[in-house]
Amino acid sequence: MRGLYRLLTRWWTAFALAASLALLGAAHAFERFEGLAPCNLCLKQREVYWGAVAIALVATLWHVISRGSRGTPRIAAFMLAVVFATGAVTAVFHMGGEMDWWDLPATCSGGGDINLESLAALALGTGPIEKVVMCDAVTWRFLGLSMAGWNALISTALAVFSLLAAKRPKDARAPRN
């Protein structure tokens, strides 16, 4: 168990990169293959994972280029903790709106892009009618939790693991001051 912990914290940015890409892939698969269009808050939750991908990719490349002599950069693990915590807060806010714990803002009316071409096509009747996705409508549940609920749990777990990776003991091969 200790060896798994050391491996996970030593290569945390690579694991965080893989997890973020897997979650983004799952979200896009639900959209593409299940027809579940995202609302505005769903898209905001995806932005968090794209930010995590950017941080984790740079840190993982740094780790590989430096031949892993010092382990995962602690600042990157801490930055990932902040990013994943932001995702958890956004997901909890979304889940609370879905469960009618509080009202969501008026900007949560739909996830589609509005541009001049789509408005002209809608006015002329030549374009497809886009269904507006409401943020408080639950379109998918598993074990009683919506996607926002699962995202809140996963983001919280990733934030905790990121903090553990940032707190890990210094590598024995790191230079001493």
Side-chain angles (χ1 to χ4, degrees):
M1 186 70 164
R2 181 171 221 153
L4 179 64
Y5 174 77
R6 291 181 104 186
L7 177 71
L8 187 64
T9 56
R10 185 171 180 80
W11 286 94
W12 174 247
T13 55
F15 285 111
L17 176 63
S20 297
L21 289 174
L23 289 166
L24 284 168
H28 288 289
F30 272 107
E31 183 179 350
R32 162 94 58 200
F33 302 118
E34 294 293 322
L36 300 177
C39 67
N40 282 340
L41 283 174
C42 293
L43 295 174
K44 294 293 180 201
Q45 292 169 65
R46 288 183 193 180
E47 289 174 6
V48 170
Y49 288 111
W50 282 116
V53 164
I55 294 168
L57 181 64
V58 169
T60 301
L61 288 175
W62 174 263
H63 186 123
V64 170
I65 289 170
S66 69
R67 295 187 184 102
S69 63
R70 295 188 180 194
T72 297
R74 290 177 186 219
I75 189 70
F78 182 73
M79 288 170 58
L80 285 170
V82 170
V83 168
F84 289 134
T86 302
V89 168
T90 305
V92 167
F93 179 71
H94 189 187
M95 182 182 70
E98 289 175 342
M99 300 181 91
D100 292 327
W101 293 344
W102 47 72
D103 292 330
L104 294 173
T107 57
C108 291
S109 61
D113 291 332
I114 298 175
N115 55 34
L116 191 56
E117 291 87 23
S118 65
L119 288 176
L122 184 61
L124 296 173
T126 58
I129 297 175
E130 298 279 335
K131 182 181 176 190
V132 175
V133 180
M134 302 299 288
C135 292
D136 58 355
V138 178
T139 57
W140 181 87
R141 281 191 193 270
F142 181 68
L143 299 176
L145 285 177
S146 66
M147 279 192 208
W150 284 108
N151 190 23
L153 289 176
I154 293 168
S155 293
T156 301
L158 290 171
V160 168
F161 280 120
S162 296
L163 285 175
L164 289 173
K167 183 188 168 298
R168 72 176 169 74
K170 287 188 177 186
D171 188 19
R173 290 180 283 171
R176 297 183 187 262
N177 291 334

